[in-house]
Amino acid sequence: MAEPLFDSTSHPHRRLNPLTNEYTLVSPHRMKRPWQGQTEPPQPANLPEYDPKCYLCPGNERAGGAKNEDYEQVFVFENDYAAVLPPPGPSAPPAPHSLLKMEPVQGGCDVLTFHRRHDLTLARLSPRDIGKVIEQWCTIYEKRGRQEGIKYVQIFENKGAMMGCSNPHPHGQVWSMSVIPTLPATELDNMSKYSLSSPTPSGAAQGPDGKPCLLCEYAHYETGLPLEEGRVVHTNEHWVALVPWWAIWPFEILLLPYKRHISSILHLSSEEKAGFADALSVVTRRYDNLFSCSFAYSMGIHQRPLPSLDPEVEDEDDVAHLHLHFAPPLLRSASIRKFLVGFELMAEPQRDLTAEQAAVRLRGLQDVHYLDTQSDDEKVGGLPRD
């Protein structure tokens, strides 16, 4: 009897993430299973422009007693409940056992509001306003990254209550630390190893000293495929958004510059920053359009751990290639989310929808926000009718 032909749209298989060297189990046939589990309440789309009880709105008093400035656009302040504290800090006591290792961590945590209006998100901001957020990211990355004792700066956003966001006012965070955290350290290590390898020449952009760059090579491959065969969701002159081959989350997106090797946001030209703002606008609007809701996600920027002392001089940290990870939990609708539990906690991540199927869904969506295409009588309490 002839062996059946493998079909990635119906047969279970594993996919390797070269950034982490970890596998994801893909089980596309499970999309047919019925769902009788937990459902999430809809994210409100009818928030007020200003909320007098919001700790992040202009002029309001925060939980810790400090008062916000009456800001117009972007506002930055040190987190009143920071996860890490500034140096100097005490030394760790001797380990009670060789297996029980502990190290002190110092640093700082900043909050960055994206806009004065309480009811907006990145998906509802103009690319011009998103550009102002990018400029502040650059400012904080450079400021915190040049402080003594800091070895890493992480920029991120949690959007939506189901992703642990405690306040709907549009904002993100920047944590600076005296150590390089586990995930970016793993990515940097694998990118460094790839830079020492000898892949088949492909025409992809090169890293420092003409060495291969893992993400330059991957982006070159994806953008070279026919659109209907690959995982690309959106491209502009400088940036590509795609569902990565190894995606864990249902509609996960990897966003990165693909025309040249760029190690940090400080290395972006003005044109590349404009393309960055455009790509962020498109990705977040398509997310909202997928299920006609304010789409929840966690997003983070991975780049050089710290800004370079001299942008003209290459060093070992330039193996990093600037990229953003979007990890959204929603799977089948605005109320059904993916959970990382059971097998995924005890063995390895697993997904049902293939990366290719997710890319087709996202690629087919409009760039115009769904709320801008509805008349008032099509909305109920700010939410679209079923």
Side-chain angles (χ1 to χ4, degrees):
M1 185 176 179
E3 180 178 331
L5 294 176
F6 177 79
D7 181 2
S8 63
T9 65
S10 59
H11 293 139
H13 58 280
R14 301 167 84 203
R15 298 190 182 190
L16 178 67
N17 180 347
L19 285 171
T20 62
N21 206 32
E22 296 178 346
Y23 281 92
T24 298
L25 174 64
V26 183
S27 310
H29 58 290
R30 277 167 51 94
M31 284 300 292
K32 300 175 183 178
R33 67 183 178 130
W35 180 260
Q36 294 181 317
Q38 177 174 314
T39 59
E40 306 294 330
Q43 299 291 311
N46 57 340
L47 296 172
E49 292 188 11
Y50 167 76
D51 183 348
K53 297 181 180 179
C54 170
Y55 297 131
L56 299 182
C57 277
N60 286 1
E61 184 176 303
R62 301 199 300 272
K67 188 175 182 179
N68 296 330
E69 297 176 8
D70 187 18
Y71 62 92
E72 286 298 323
Q73 178 74 45
V74 182
F75 175 55
V76 180
F77 63 90
E78 292 188 25
N79 196 317
D80 299 318
Y81 301 95
V84 291
L85 301 175
S91 300
H97 189 279
S98 60
L99 294 175
L100 308 181
K101 185 178 180 180
M102 178 171 59
E103 59 179 314
V105 178
Q106 285 90 43
C109 297
D110 296 295
V111 177
L112 186 155
T113 65
F114 298 158
H115 200 277
R116 68 177 287 115
R117 278 181 53 175
H118 184 76
D119 61 328
L120 298 181
T121 63
L122 286 180
R124 302 294 283 152
L125 292 180
S126 68
R128 181 174 178 272
D129 284 340
I130 294 176
K132 296 176 183 178
V133 176
I134 292 171
E135 290 297 340
Q136 275 298 328
W137 283 340
C138 291
T139 299
I140 298 178
Y141 171 65
E142 183 161 35
K143 174 186 174 182
R144 288 297 193 178
R146 298 202 187 285
Q147 290 182 344
E148 184 177 356
I150 296 302
K151 295 183 179 180
Y152 185 79
V153 179
Q154 178 63 63
I155 300 169
F156 66 97
E157 177 197 8
N158 292 325
K159 181 193 174 195
M162 71 178 73
M163 295 307 287
C165 182
S166 60
N167 190 316
H169 194 105
H171 73 285
Q173 300 186 55
V174 183
W175 291 12
S176 51
M177 301 177 67
S178 57
V179 297
I180 302 179
T182 303
L183 181 54
T186 300
E187 288 192 356
L188 288 166
D189 183 55
N190 284 314
M191 284 190 277
S192 179
K193 290 176 180 175
Y194 189 84
S195 72
L196 302 176
S197 67
S198 301
T200 303
S202 65
Q206 300 291 301
D209 298 323
K211 295 178 180 179
C213 164
L214 190 158
L215 286 176
C216 287
E217 179 66 33
Y218 178 58
H220 179 75
Y221 173 76
E222 288 283 5
T223 54
L225 290 174
L227 194 61
E228 66 276 7
E229 295 180 15
R231 289 153 288 275
V232 169
V233 173
H234 170 75
T235 58
N236 60 31
E237 182 63 26
H238 301 286
W239 292 78
V240 58
L242 55 89
V243 181
W245 168 264
W246 52 83
I248 294 173
W249 297 94
F251 294 96
E252 182 175 332
I253 276 185
L254 179 69
L255 176 63
L256 69 163
Y258 69 101
K259 290 291 183 69
R260 68 184 183 99
H261 180 76
I262 300 176
S263 61
S264 81
I265 53 178
L266 295 182
H267 291 84
L268 293 170
S269 67
S270 57
E271 292 81 8
E272 288 163 341
K273 286 180 180 178
F276 187 13
D278 169 77
L280 283 171
S281 177
V282 170
V283 167
T284 53
R285 288 185 184 205
R286 291 198 188 183
Y287 270 164
D288 279 12
N289 290 346
L290 181 61
F291 297 129
S292 297
C293 69
S294 185
F295 200 82
Y297 59 75
S298 281
M299 175 275 286
I301 300 177
H302 282 176
Q303 56 186 332
R304 284 177 54 101
L306 300 174
S308 55
L309 296 176
D310 185 348
E312 302 301 321
V313 179
E314 296 175 341
D315 59 37
E316 62 182 11
D317 284 336
D318 280 321
V319 298
H321 187 95
L322 171 65
H323 62 285
L324 286 75
H325 295 285
F326 282 84
L330 292 178
L331 173 59
R332 302 189 187 195
S333 70
S335 61
I336 297 179
R337 61 167 297 178
K338 174 182 175 61
F339 292 90
L340 289 176
V341 295
F343 180 87
E344 292 157 307
L345 290 180
M346 305 302 165
E348 67 185 19
Q350 182 272 337
R351 63 179 286 125
D352 297 343
L353 190 72
T354 69
E356 296 75 28
Q357 291 166 337
V360 169
R361 294 279 301 277
L362 291 170
R363 198 162 54 232
L365 297 168
Q366 295 184 358
D367 293 337
V368 177
H369 198 276
Y370 76 94
L371 289 177
D372 294 333
T373 64
Q374 295 177 335
S375 60
D376 291 339
D377 60 2
E378 290 179 304
K379 305 170 189 176
V380 178
L383 295 173
R385 293 184 185 273
D386 292 333

